[in-house]
Amino acid sequence: MKTMMQKIKTDQNSPANPTSLKTGLTKQEYENAPKNITEDSSQKSTGKIICEHVFTFFNFLNVVIAFFIVLTGSYRNLMFMGVVISNTVIGLWQELHSRKILSRLAIISQAHFQVLRDSEIVTIASDEIALNDLLILEQGNQVPVDGVLVSGACQVNESALTGESDDIDKSVGDPITSGSFVTAGKCMMQVENVGERTFMYSIMQQAKRSRRFPSQLRDSLNQIIHFCTLFLIPTGILLFVKMYFFSHTTWQQAVLSSSASMIGMIPEGLVILTSVALFVSVSKLAMQEVLVQELYCIETLARVSTLCLDKTGTITTGNMKVDDLIPMSDMDKDQCIQSLGLLYHSLDDENATAKAIRAYAPAIKNGSKADNIFPFSSRTKFSGAVFGDTTWIAGAYSFVFEKQDPEVTKKINSYADQGKRVLVLARGPKLTKLEKGNYELIALIVIEDEIRPDAKRILEYFRSQDVNLKVISGDAPTTVAALAKRAGVSGKAVDMAVWAKGHPENQGLAELMEECNVFGRVTPEQKKAMVLALKEKGQTVAMTGDGVNDVLALKEADCSIAMGSGTQAARSVASVILLKDQFDALPSILLEGRRVINNIQRTASLFLVKTLFSFGLSMLTLFWLARYPFEPIQLTLVSFLGVGLPSFVLTLEPNHARVSGNFLLNVLSKAIPGALTVIFMVVLTALLQTPLRMDAQTFSTVCTWAAGFNALWVLFYISQPLSWMRKALIITMTVAFFLAMIFLPKLYSVVFLTLPQYLYVAAMGIAIPLILKGLFKLNWKKVLNSRIFTREGWKKG
């Protein structure tokens, strides 16, 4: 990667076709120039969405099974295709509908840039940037194209490209690479590469995203699909061979039985139901002006155990004002304000602090022009400008001055205790490089942050939901502690600048993060290290931020949340964007994540009951039973009333319990009792087949009653605690099952039974809930984690 960047730097030391710095591109030049247009990989096309929903492995398998059933002439057994088609149509419509909503929000949140055109500065979207445009870059911009700096100066961070987090100074003639972001200064760049010729595009083609969000849900679904793919087809073929060649059933009956086993093992609807649930969740958040950029981060939100909050723009509104200016030299207050105005109206800094100071200290008419400027950097914590033989400097006292006066520090701390920030205005000799030194202290600048009115209530809510809160800021520790306390987060702030001196390479950071909640004087690199330390301790970390100094930490967090008014660099790496800076939307985001994952976890267990018992019965049929106990139409009835319809209802219900544990273990532990109960009942029925005088069709009917009872009782246990809607759902499904079995026997290939057989069915109806209750009490997670079932156990065994 570095070699590629070096090649770009070599090729771009000067623009091949210089554009006039006075006029920029003309209208005609712009129309003839290539534009910054690339294929949008973040939004799938309609054709791709249709293909993903229609041409799936399970759909293909169902169509093949349907084809063989058609050959048997038993058309009623094709009813399972109605479930397959309806699932596909519902999933397809929901994703297309969600895409429409997300596309609208994406346009709203799209990055915009300023360019010089026909002697005027205009604001355009990134895809309207043209080759040779003069692009104006300022702090917070993520560079969308490659180019050469032609005016001004800035610092850029290329960590997204090289992995190195140090800011790099750029001056006229230096190349600026797409994908990097501006951390300080303001400059003008001539565009050299656009669209698919940019360095960022080439990297994106090699790796669409530097990392994939962790998702137990996605990984578990892949494991289920892998299992089905591995065993389903071979098992179906072996069953046909066994029944046709060894049990000497007709080929039609062999096809129907093997088809039933395969249909039973297919968790039809589970993958689509999961997609629908996630997209519904994303759409709900979109209605609240919350843009979700990573679908599976919904799951991460549900599992968040620690929330890291950047102070500025999250706990505070991001709006600042100068509360006071205190002279500390022989200059009076007006002179200090004039000097402050001279400095800040010469700087190109566009952060909240700079804007507040400019509002307080107006520009001086006919003021001197700076000979050199040093933009603010989150690494150095100060900025400055050179006027003749004097350098004016503004920044944090401990970062500007090598030797610090205890009395000044005490005065600054007294304001910090009130939650106010204090910057210093200092004067020094003419400098060629701005660094910590012994300057003349001119004035203290007292700046006040505005706490969000709903911050305390929201943070209290997170605490009530067992989410740990960590307030992290680059400001003075006492200031951060005071603001955090006002927002409801208690604890003394740790000065990370001091702490770092005694802890090389962040030794002991993980323990510090567990013990403390408030941190000040945090560098961007330390923010990143803090997130990594929490993750190493097993925490699921969400991070909020809005500035360039938050980007490194946002990239490492399990779920990153950026403010819509924040820098484009922060928004580009975030998985969730609060378009209207609506901090009060955070509880809704958390609850939506919990709702969707808890409900998917609940309904997935319903699907896997059928998959597991079908696999178990298929094995029994291969080695013992004369034929598979069900026909496709019978499993369709059980699946539709016990799984399909209830799963869609339950998935959209409120469910705000904290998500914990492994997804697949949670699902399997709830599915195994139901699967074992059906297998036990089928085995018992097979053993009693002769005493109860059951022929093949009667045996199949009794097994259908058992599977139906089991599905309804599993639904009952899974639906705990029962709400009025869940009670209504269970009653409706139960009545529908009895009506179908009694009044539609021909359609579902069932027959009427004798009195002893009905008594046996009634006994099963009593026994099944008792067996299920006992099995549900067993610790199936412990069994699944034992040596018998784990890969590590197999290796040790």
Side-chain angles (χ1 to χ4, degrees):
M1 190 179 290
K2 287 185 179 180
T3 304
M4 293 175 67
M5 290 190 67
Q6 287 167 357
K7 184 178 186 303
I8 289 173
K9 291 177 182 179
T10 302
D11 295 344
Q12 289 188 336
N13 283 336
S14 60
N17 300 297
T19 302
S20 170
L21 298 183
K22 292 183 178 180
T23 63
L25 289 183
T26 64
K27 183 178 180 180
Q28 185 175 357
E29 287 173 331
Y30 167 72
E31 290 176 351
N32 295 331
K35 310 300 187 293
N36 187 43
I37 298 173
T38 59
E39 180 183 354
D40 184 7
S41 59
S42 64
Q43 286 283 6
K44 291 182 285 188
S45 65
T46 301
K48 186 175 182 181
I49 292 174
I50 292 173
C51 287
E52 286 183 353
H53 281 266
V54 175
F55 301 107
T56 66
F57 170 74
F58 286 145
N59 281 356
F60 170 75
L61 201 57
N62 280 312
V63 169
V64 172
I65 293 171
F67 171 75
F68 283 107
I69 290 175
V70 168
L71 295 181
T72 69
S74 182
Y75 300 116
R76 63 188 171 190
N77 281 297
L78 291 172
M79 191 177 287
F80 75 95
M81 285 301 295
V83 177
V84 173
I85 293 170
S86 61
N87 280 339
T88 302
V89 171
I90 291 170
L92 182 60
W93 177 85
Q94 186 59 56
E95 184 162 353
L96 289 172
H97 177 67
S98 298
R99 187 192 64 168
K100 183 178 179 181
I101 296 172
L102 294 177
S103 295
R104 177 180 63 82
L105 286 187
I107 291 172
I108 295 172
S109 65
Q110 186 179 19
H112 287 76
F113 298 87
Q114 290 186 325
V115 295
L116 181 64
R117 296 251 181 91
D118 281 328
S119 303
E120 292 185 5
I121 295 176
V122 293
T123 301
I124 60 172
S126 61
D127 58 5
E128 296 177 89
I129 298 171
L131 185 67
N132 290 320
D133 247 331
L134 293 181
L135 180 65
I136 299 169
L137 297 172
E138 57 189 19
Q139 185 183 34
N141 286 151
Q142 183 169 32
V143 185
V145 290
D146 301 329
V148 177
L149 198 149
V150 293
S151 176
C154 67
Q155 291 180 340
V156 300
N157 187 298
E158 295 178 346
S159 61
L161 308 174
T162 66
E164 298 173 1
S165 58
D166 291 339
D167 293 340
I168 300 170
D169 293 317
K170 297 285 183 177
S171 55
V172 174
D174 289 338
I176 300 181
T177 310
S178 55
S180 56
F181 52 87
V182 181
T183 57
K186 188 173 183 179
C187 65
M188 184 180 287
M189 178 186 88
Q190 180 169 333
V191 178
E192 291 284 282
N193 287 319
V194 295
E196 297 180 2
R197 294 178 61 85
T198 61
F199 179 75
M200 182 165 62
Y201 183 82
S202 68
I203 295 300
M204 288 172 64
Q205 289 304 102
Q206 294 176 44
K208 292 296 183 182
R209 189 178 179 93
S210 58
R211 69 182 179 89
R212 195 165 65 154
F213 277 85
S215 171
Q216 290 186 29
L217 174 59
R218 179 190 58 232
D219 296 341
S220 298
L221 289 175
N222 288 339
Q223 285 180 271
I224 293 167
I225 293 170
H226 179 71
F227 170 83
C228 292
T229 305
L230 196 62
F231 291 103
L232 200 149
I233 296 176
T235 302
I237 294 172
L238 289 173
L239 278 174
F240 176 83
V241 170
K242 191 257 185 181
M243 284 183 285
Y244 184 64
F245 291 103
F246 295 95
S247 297
H248 303 295
T249 61
T250 63
W251 72 269
Q252 291 94 336
Q253 188 57 54
V255 166
L256 290 177
S257 293
S258 56
S259 296
S261 74
M262 295 175 73
I263 292 169
M265 282 187 279
I266 297 173
E268 75 264 13
L270 176 57
V271 176
I272 291 177
L273 180 71
T274 301
S275 297
V276 168
L278 290 172
F279 276 110
V280 166
S281 187
V282 168
S283 300
K284 281 186 175 182
L285 292 174
M287 296 298 183
Q288 301 177 52
E289 304 292 335
V290 175
L291 176 60
V292 177
Q293 302 198 108
E294 287 282 348
L295 186 63
Y296 280 96
C297 79
I298 291 289
E299 178 187 3
T300 312
L301 289 168
R303 297 179 182 276
V304 164
S305 57
T306 300
L307 175 62
C308 295
L309 299 150
D310 174 57
K311 176 184 69 64
T312 306
T314 51
I315 291 179
T316 63
T317 61
N319 297 324
M320 298 183 181
K321 66 176 183 177
V322 177
D323 187 57
D324 198 4
L325 185 143
I326 304 159
M328 299 294 288
S329 66
D330 55 359
M331 293 176 63
D332 62 28
K333 189 170 184 176
D334 289 339
Q335 289 174 321
C336 291
I337 292 173
Q338 287 181 359
S339 299
L340 187 62
L342 180 68
L343 169 60
Y344 270 89
H345 286 281
S346 299
L347 294 171
D348 293 323
D349 296 343
E350 290 298 329
N351 52 55
T353 302
K355 290 176 181 178
I357 291 175
R358 288 195 193 103
Y360 178 77
I364 301 172
K365 291 183 179 180
N366 302 318
S368 302
K369 186 176 180 181
D371 300 317
N372 192 15
I373 61 172
F374 304 101
F376 174 82
S377 166
S378 57
R379 178 168 48 87
T380 61
K381 303 290 186 186
F382 55 87
S383 54
V386 178
F387 299 88
D389 294 329
T390 304
T391 301
W392 289 98
I393 304 161
Y397 182 59
S398 60
F399 280 78
V400 173
F401 284 86
E402 190 75 45
K403 293 181 180 179
Q404 292 149 35
D405 185 339
E407 289 300 317
V408 175
T409 302
K410 184 178 179 182
K411 195 174 188 69
I412 290 173
N413 289 342
S414 68
Y415 284 105
D417 290 339
Q418 303 170 43
K420 298 178 180 180
R421 293 175 57 213
V422 179
L423 301 181
V424 296
L425 177 65
R427 181 167 57 188
K430 183 178 181 180
L431 300 173
T432 56
K433 182 180 180 182
L434 196 60
E435 55 189 0
K436 197 182 228 185
N438 295 313
Y439 306 111
E440 180 187 358
L441 179 60
I442 301 301
L444 302 181
I445 309 155
V446 183
I447 298 175
E448 190 173 41
D449 271 343
E450 181 183 22
I451 292 281
R452 290 183 182 273
D454 50 7
K456 189 170 185 177
R457 174 180 57 82
I458 293 167
L459 297 184
E460 179 58 40
Y461 170 80
F462 276 105
R463 269 196 303 275
S464 71
Q465 295 297 310
D466 298 324
V467 176
N468 298 317
L469 300 174
K470 308 291 180 183
V471 179
I472 302 171
S473 175
D475 286 341
T478 47
T479 303
V480 180
L483 287 170
K485 186 176 181 180
R486 286 168 57 190
V489 181
S490 59
K492 183 181 178 182
V494 178
D495 189 326
M496 292 303 293
V498 175
W499 182 89
K501 293 177 182 177
H503 299 80
E505 299 183 358
N506 294 316
Q507 293 176 0
L509 182 58
E511 290 71 23
L512 181 71
M513 294 302 295
E514 284 190 326
E515 295 169 5
C516 305
N517 296 325
V518 185
F519 306 86
R521 294 284 183 236
V522 186
T523 65
E525 290 76 15
Q526 284 176 328
K527 286 188 180 183
K528 173 184 173 181
M530 288 172 157
V531 170
L532 291 173
L534 287 166
K535 289 169 68 175
E536 286 172 8
K537 285 290 186 179
Q539 299 289 317
T540 301
V541 183
M543 169 84 190
T544 68
D546 68 340
V548 171
N549 60 324
D550 302 315
V551 170
L552 298 177
L554 288 170
K555 285 180 68 177
E556 292 300 332
D558 294 309
C559 181
S560 47
I561 304 167
M563 300 296 149
S565 64
T567 62
Q568 197 248 327
R571 297 198 308 273
S572 67
V573 301
S575 46
V576 177
I577 302 175
L578 305 179
L579 293 176
K580 297 292 181 66
D581 290 2
Q582 63 276 39
F583 189 65
D584 59 352
L586 287 180
S588 299
I589 296 172
L590 175 72
L591 293 180
E592 190 57 38
R594 289 183 176 182
R595 183 194 66 77
V596 69
I597 300 305
N598 279 325
N599 287 339
I600 289 175
Q601 193 164 266
R602 185 205 307 273
T603 54
S605 59
L606 294 176
F607 282 97
L608 291 190
V609 168
K610 182 170 67 72
T611 298
L612 292 177
F613 82 62
S614 294
F615 179 74
L617 291 177
S618 297
M619 294 299 103
L620 283 174
T621 305
L622 282 175
F623 298 106
W624 178 50
L625 295 174
R627 52 171 283 188
Y628 190 75
F630 304 103
E631 290 187 19
I633 186 65
Q634 295 165 343
L635 283 181
T636 299
L637 173 65
V638 173
S639 179
F640 179 71
L641 296 179
V643 182
L645 191 58
S647 66
F648 273 97
V649 175
L650 293 176
T651 301
L652 302 178
E653 267 202 316
N655 191 333
H656 300 151
R658 180 175 173 181
V659 179
S660 60
N662 180 278
F663 179 87
L664 192 56
L665 282 181
N666 289 342
V667 169
L668 287 174
S669 64
K670 293 178 181 178
I672 287 174
L676 289 178
T677 303
V678 172
I679 293 171
F680 173 75
M681 285 299 168
V682 170
V683 169
L684 182 63
T685 303
L687 293 173
L688 296 175
Q689 191 171 358
T690 302
L692 289 173
R693 298 180 181 179
M694 299 183 199
D695 57 19
Q697 202 167 9
T698 304
F699 174 69
S700 183
T701 300
V702 173
C703 289
T704 303
W705 277 106
F709 287 153
N710 182 79
L712 293 168
W713 276 108
V714 169
L715 177 62
F716 171 82
Y717 283 114
I718 293 294
S719 299
Q720 302 296 321
L722 292 175
S723 63
W724 69 267
M725 192 182 79
R726 293 177 189 176
K727 290 177 183 176
L729 175 67
I730 294 168
I731 292 170
T732 302
M733 295 301 100
T734 303
V735 170
F737 176 70
F738 273 91
L739 291 176
M741 292 293 288
I742 294 170
F743 294 104
L744 299 171
K746 193 171 182 180
L747 176 63
Y748 291 106
S749 290
V750 295
V751 294
F752 290 106
L753 307 177
T754 64
L755 180 61
Q757 291 166 352
Y758 271 124
L759 290 174
Y760 173 68
V761 168
M764 282 196 306
I766 297 170
I768 284 173
L770 299 176
I771 296 170
L772 279 173
K773 188 175 182 180
L775 289 174
F776 270 117
K777 287 182 178 179
L778 296 178
N779 190 344
W780 291 103
K781 291 181 185 179
K782 186 176 181 180
V783 174
L784 292 169
N785 270 321
S786 68
R787 290 183 58 187
I788 299 174
F789 290 96
T790 60
R791 183 178 299 176
E792 292 75 12
W794 280 100
K795 289 178 181 178
K796 291 177 183 178

